[in-house]
Amino acid sequence: EAGVTQFPSHSVIEKGQTVTLRCDPISGHDNLYWYRRVMGKEIKFLLHFVKESKQDESGMPNNRFLAERTGGTYSTLKVQPAELEDSGVYFCASSQAFGGGHHEQYFGPGTRLTVT
Amino acid sequence: AQKITQTQPGMFVQEKEAVTLDCTYDTSDPSYGLFWYKQPSSGEMIFLIYQGSYDQQNATEGRYSLNFQKARKSANLVISASQLGDSAMYFCAMREIVRTGANSKLTFGKGITLSVRP
């Protein structure tokens, strides 16, 4: 079974440009999460999809970030326009069930975004 | 709000010895789960072990065990018989357990770098 995949693995863009990150969760996982780690800091939650619906987007930093999950399958995270402080590693994770219990989140390898 | 604290600087351990990585947490939620993830230099996040707040026994998974002290709000990871491949960054995380289905995001600590010496 394929794990969570993310594309691209690394992106270098200039300030003001647009970048779109993609995440393909594990097949059958309804829950999809985006996290971000800025250098030297904690991994921070951005948002959570259940199927195609945004369950929680409390971690989205501002309206330059737009996440979508068309048809409840893969998800994209667009940053437009990118700023220097957006640099970091963006992780996507998916999990199988919803609500209580163990249900660990399986993480993708991350996309390293560098804004210059 | 939930908070995870990992304050140890880089940790070093001799191969085949045991090491404890500290994690303290703060939450007002009555029911929660605690996780440890490993991030090797390749970058992926690997799930290691889980402890539920109402679990009576400390969790164990192979060479990993979790020293859960609920009253002290600590969830330290113990790695026994360290191997060179254990060199990585380790993250402690927690999430609220909500049975009706709501927010289940993970809250992470800053992580601890472990280096295993041959």
Side-chain angles (χ1 to χ4, degrees), chain A residues 31 33 35 37 40-43 45 48 55-56 58 91 98-109, chain B residues 4 35 37 39 42-45 47 50 89 91 95 97-110:
Chain A
N31 296 284
Y33 310 81
Y35 295 87
R37 185 177 188 220
K41 297 196 173 181
E42 297 92 339
I43 299 169
F45 166 79
H48 171 202
Q55 181 68 36
D56 179 3
S58 62
F91 290 101
F98 193 62
H102 186 169
H103 307 307
E104 71 265 26
Q105 297 176 16
Y106 296 86
F107 280 75
Chain B
I4 295 283
F35 300 77
Y37 282 83
Q39 186 184 39
S42 52
E44 73 271 29
M45 296 279 283
F47 165 76
Y50 168 83
M89 178 159 278
F91 291 94
R95 74 174 179 96
I97 303 295
V98 180
R99 303 206 177 271
T100 57
N103 183 1
S104 59
K105 66 184 180 185
L106 288 172
T107 299
F108 284 88
K110 288 187 177 182

Side-chain angles (χ1 to χ4, degrees), chain A residues 1 3-4 23-35 47-51 69 72-73 92-108, chain B residues 35 37 47 95 102-106:
Chain A
E1 178 183 291
V4 177
C23 169
D24 287 79
I26 293 172
S27 178
H29 282 192
D30 288 341
N31 296 284
L32 187 149
Y33 310 81
W34 283 98
Y35 295 87
L47 89 159
H48 171 202
F49 284 101
V50 178
K51 298 184 180 179
R69 190 180 182 193
T73 54
C92 175
S94 70
S95 68
Q96 191 168 29
F98 193 62
H102 186 169
H103 307 307
E104 71 265 26
Q105 297 176 16
Y106 296 86
F107 280 75
Chain B
F35 300 77
Y37 282 83
F47 165 76
R95 74 174 179 96
N103 183 1
S104 59
K105 66 184 180 185
L106 288 172

Side-chain angles (χ1 to χ4, degrees), chain B residues 2 6 10 12 30 34 39 41-42 54 57 65 69-70 94 96-97 114:
Chain B
Q2 300 176 338
Q6 294 179 266
F12 294 87
L34 295 155
Q39 186 184 39
S41 57
S42 52
Y54 287 105
Q57 295 187 330
S65 61
Q69 297 186 45
K70 192 171 182 178
M94 72 181 301
E96 178 186 8
I97 303 295
L114 175 66

Side-chain angles (χ1 to χ4, degrees), chain A residues 12-26:
Chain A
V12 181
I13 60 171
E14 293 183 352
K15 176 182 174 181
Q17 290 186 322
T18 296
V19 63
T20 300
L21 314 181
R22 172 171 170 144
C23 169
D24 287 79
I26 293 172

Side-chain angles (χ1 to χ4, degrees), chain B residues 30-89:
Chain B
S31 182
Y32 50 89
L34 295 155
F35 300 77
W36 276 91
Y37 282 83
K38 171 185 177 181
Q39 186 184 39
S41 57
S42 52
E44 73 271 29
M45 296 279 283
I46 303 167
F47 165 76
L48 296 178
I49 196 167
Y50 168 83
Q51 178 83 43
S53 59
Y54 287 105
D55 292 343
Q56 294 297 314
Q57 295 187 330
N58 286 344
T60 60
E61 288 285 350
R63 294 186 300 110
Y64 304 107
S65 61
L66 204 151
N67 183 2
F68 180 48
Q69 297 186 45
K70 192 171 182 178
R72 298 178 64 179
K73 294 190 174 179
S74 73
N76 298 339
L77 177 70
V78 181
I79 305 175
S80 62
S82 296
Q83 301 172 356
L84 296 179
D86 293 335
S87 293
M89 178 159 278

